[in-house]
């Protein structure tokens, strides 16, 4: 499974320059490519709306939060999205290439696997960040 250079470039921009709030990736012709980019002012709701209900995706989300000591922090989440409605073959391809793709993105702090929106609710994201 190849990884398009744009995936790494956009991830570096998210991590270093904070140009994006999220990036959604898809596998197309045996290659991981950028599917959607979310601007820095987009919300978590915009992010979840960008994930298709019947197709697998990889996604990266830059989550900003305030600690109990009132410090501004951010964590980069990697989410493997494999909804129940997606095809079995697609789930297998995404599952088997996930670790290799994740290694290409240096700086992932939290990983989540989700098969429906309730498994990646805002509360879950928040609890995993702190």
């Amino acid at each position: 499974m190849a990884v398009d250079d744009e995936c790494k470039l956009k991830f570096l921009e998210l991590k270093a320059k904070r140009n994006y709030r999220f990036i959604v990736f898809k596998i197309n012709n045996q290659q991981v490519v950028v599917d959607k980019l979310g601007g820095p002012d987009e919300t978590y709701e915009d992010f979840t709306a960008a994930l298709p209900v019947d197709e697998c995706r990889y996604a990266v989300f830059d989550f900003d939060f305030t600690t109990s000591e009132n410090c501004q922090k951010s964590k980069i989440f990697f989410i493997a999205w494999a909804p129940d409605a997606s095809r079995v073959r697609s789930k297998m391809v995404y599952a088997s290439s996930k670790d290799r793709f994740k290694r290409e993105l240096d700086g992932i702090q939290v990983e989540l696997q989700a098969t429906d929106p309730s498994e990646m609710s805002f509360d879950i994201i928040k609890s995993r960040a702190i």
Side-chain angles (χ1 to χ4, degrees), residues 79-104:
I79 298 168
W81 173 246
D84 291 330
S86 60
R87 294 194 323 267
V88 173
R89 172 146 174 67
S90 176
K91 288 182 202 175
M92 288 169 56
V93 169
Y94 274 80
S96 64
S97 52
K98 178 185 77 174
D99 288 335
R100 186 193 175 300
F101 176 56
K102 210 174 84 178
R103 278 196 300 273
E104 299 280 342

Side-chain angles (χ1 to χ4, degrees), residues 36-102:
K36 292 183 181 130
L37 296 167
D41 53 345
E42 296 205 39
T43 65
Y44 189 72
E45 287 72 34
D46 297 325
F47 166 64
T48 55
L51 295 172
V53 294
D54 59 350
E55 288 180 39
C56 298
R57 291 290 187 269
Y58 298 127
V60 172
F61 184 79
D62 186 7
F63 179 65
D64 291 326
F65 63 100
T66 306
T67 65
S68 53
E69 295 87 41
N70 211 23
C71 292
Q72 283 293 113
K73 291 211 170 183
S74 100
K75 287 220 171 146
I76 298 174
F77 278 74
F78 178 87
I79 298 168
W81 173 246
D84 291 330
S86 60
R87 294 194 323 267
V88 173
R89 172 146 174 67
S90 176
K91 288 182 202 175
M92 288 169 56
V93 169
Y94 274 80
S96 64
S97 52
K98 178 185 77 174
D99 288 335
R100 186 193 175 300
F101 176 56
K102 210 174 84 178

